[in-house]
Amino acid sequence: MPLIVRNASTLTQFLIEQRRRHPEASGDFNALILDVSRACKAIAKTVAYGALTDMLGKQPAARSAGQVNVQGEVQQQLDVLSNEVFISMNERGGCLAGMASEEMEAPYPIAAPHARGKYLLVFDPLDGSSNIDVNVSVGSIFSVLRAPALVREGATLTEADFLQAGTQQVAAGYALYGPSTMLVLTVGTGVHGFTLDPVMGEFMLTHPAMRVPEDTQEFAINASNARFWEAPVKRYVDECLAGRTGVRGKDFNMRWIASMVAEAHRILMRGGVFMYPRDTKDASKPGRLRLLYEANPVGWIMEQAGGRASTGRENVLQVQPSGLHQRIGLVFGSKNEVERIERYHAEPQRVADSHTPLFAERSLFRD
Ligand code: AHG
Ligand code: MN
Ligand code: MN
């Protein structure tokens, strides 16, 4: 039994309080969020067993699921299991018309004997799954959209039903499986963080009204991709690295966890900017992260917390999706830094850039 358990609202109490703003609400929405939170609790428990589950690792081959997902990435057993947990915890609540996931090529329709509801759930069941084997934080990310009327009434669910801009989300959140398990949620009234009480199995409101500081001295980017970055990103990173004696006039710190959900959480707690920008590494992939179940939910959380999320060229929430698993360049975090990066993208590329010392020979990240 822990020594201190803070007296706080449970997630259920929080949702009931939010519902008072919508007297007409049926309660389905709250039921859906609670089903999602139950999936996250189940995944948290499984992940916490680590190697004891005998489900870690890509090798030996027998211990890996051995499949690649629609992204062409090797699925870990825990990717597949987490996907199954999300489906089984959410298909019987009567709140959903369908689901879509990083781990499934096609949408998953809700079919008899389960009743169809009015929402769509999109998720990345396990984000940062390359970190599982090394016991570093991973998480789940989810987004809730409204289902088109015909689909609610039983019409065939198609990919097109999910192709809604991030501005259409009605809920977005993530669970972080770290030293403590947290659920961070927005339903459009700010961002609220809940910590899982492992004894009671309840998410408790520990971080109400989270805000991202507008300024920061911390950035996160996978620097091994530097040779593929576009000029505005190179410029921004070079200026950060130049530190106190450079144009920014201050030193910056750098972090890279390779688990976006953990980076998003750090940024929510203390500010920062995260970049996985569009680059020239692979012409078929205009970015690494997926729009519908990574960029949009995290983007709305950032915006609701006073931060910003962008492709570098526009607010990511305004992008009209063209595919269920579409990838996109993503920059998010402290507002003033994201806006600066957008300004660099908007400025005409100066030929002179390639002659400035920070940009050419002296850049740490040059070939
Ligand atoms: P996923 O495990 O769902 O495929 O997502 C991993 C993502 C993201 O969480 C992280 O920021 C990024 O991939 C890491 O990419 P690198 O391996 O290039 O660092
Ligand atoms: Mn992911
Ligand atoms: Mn994933």
Side-chain angles (χ1 to χ4, degrees):
M1 184 70 179
L3 290 177
I4 301 166
V5 178
R6 197 190 300 187
N7 188 16
S9 300
T10 64
L11 174 62
T12 310
Q13 289 164 343
F14 169 87
L15 290 170
I16 290 169
E17 190 56 40
Q18 295 285 314
R19 192 181 152 201
R20 290 194 214 286
R21 296 161 193 258
H22 303 280
E24 75 293 350
S26 62
D28 279 15
F29 181 75
N30 285 4
L32 169 59
I33 301 296
L34 290 172
D35 282 349
V36 169
S37 79
R38 217 157 52 90
C40 295
K41 282 192 258 190
I43 296 168
K45 272 269 184 246
T46 308
V47 167
Y49 272 94
L52 295 174
T53 59
D54 211 19
M55 292 186 83
L56 301 191
K58 284 185 227 156
Q59 78 248 297
R63 299 180 94 200
S64 158
Q67 296 168 258
V68 294
N69 64 11
V70 63
Q71 331 281 339
E73 291 159 354
V74 174
Q75 284 177 312
Q76 310 267 349
Q77 284 200 33
L78 284 178
D79 281 325
V80 177
L81 184 75
S82 303
N83 192 58
E84 286 165 1
V85 168
F86 255 85
I87 290 173
S88 65
M89 297 278 181
N90 286 290
E91 71 179 342
R92 63 189 65 245
C95 314
L96 289 176
M99 295 182 244
S101 157
E102 176 184 323
E103 305 302 339
M104 300 185 294
E105 182 159 11
Y108 183 98
I110 303 297
H114 306 302
R116 271 202 179 180
K118 55 190 170 195
Y119 297 107
L120 299 175
L121 179 66
V122 198
F123 52 90
D124 175 353
L126 207 55
D127 176 64
S129 56
S130 71
N131 281 319
I132 295 170
D133 298 355
V134 290
N135 199 8
V136 168
S137 296
V138 291
S140 303
I141 313 173
F142 62 91
S143 165
V144 179
L145 300 163
R146 286 198 173 82
L150 287 176
V151 173
R152 290 184 215 172
E153 287 152 20
T156 307
L157 181 77
T158 66
E159 179 172 336
D161 300 319
F162 291 84
L163 303 184
Q164 304 182 34
T167 50
Q168 301 303 305
Q169 294 172 100
V170 291
Y174 63 79
L176 179 63
Y177 314 122
S180 59
T181 292
M182 287 194 69
L183 183 78
V184 172
L185 175 70
T186 184
V187 295
T189 57
V191 178
H192 308 283
F194 302 81
T195 303
L196 183 63
D197 175 337
V199 173
M200 303 298 285
E202 290 273 8
F203 279 111
M204 309 299 292
L205 180 61
T206 47
H207 296 68
M210 300 167 86
R211 301 295 293 173
V212 180
E214 291 194 351
D215 290 296
T216 185
Q217 291 180 223
E218 201 160 64
F219 68 101
I221 193 164
N222 181 345
S224 72
N225 292 323
R227 66 190 184 283
F228 305 114
W229 293 341
E230 295 177 333
V233 174
K234 284 184 174 152
R235 175 183 171 191
Y236 177 78
V237 172
D238 279 343
E239 288 179 2
C240 291
L241 293 174
R244 198 175 308 171
T245 54
V247 293
R248 300 299 307 273
K250 58 181 184 179
D251 290 335
F252 281 77
N253 197 1
M254 194 177 91
R255 290 284 182 273
W256 188 252
I257 308 173
S259 178
M260 184 190 64
V261 72
E263 320 256 16
H265 191 67
R266 184 191 62 246
I267 288 170
L268 263 182
M269 297 301 293
R270 69 176 192 212
V273 65
F274 171 99
M275 288 167 277
Y276 217 124
R278 190 176 89 178
D279 62 28
T280 59
K281 192 172 186 177
D282 177 347
S284 70
K285 292 180 185 167
R288 166 84 166 84
L289 297 168
R290 281 60 56 119
L291 176 58
L292 284 175
Y293 42 81
E294 292 178 319
N296 276 344
V298 166
W300 197 33
I301 286 169
M302 289 295 144
E303 198 165 271
Q304 281 286 313
R308 186 169 169 84
S310 172
T311 64
R313 290 161 176 83
E314 63 180 316
N315 182 337
V316 78
L317 299 178
Q318 278 163 2
V319 173
Q320 175 55 46
S322 56
L324 199 55
H325 301 287
Q326 176 181 355
R327 295 178 191 256
I328 199 150
L330 181 63
V331 175
F332 67 77
S334 293
K335 194 164 185 276
N336 291 338
E337 292 301 306
V338 176
E339 286 176 352
R340 173 183 287 268
I341 295 164
E342 289 181 306
R343 278 202 306 280
Y344 289 2
H345 280 86
E347 282 175 16
Q349 300 305 308
R350 292 166 298 172
V351 179
D353 276 351
S354 57
H355 302 302
T356 58
L358 286 175
F359 225 75
E361 301 74 40
R362 277 175 47 199
S363 169
L364 288 181
F365 292 152
R366 274 322 257 215
D367 278 335

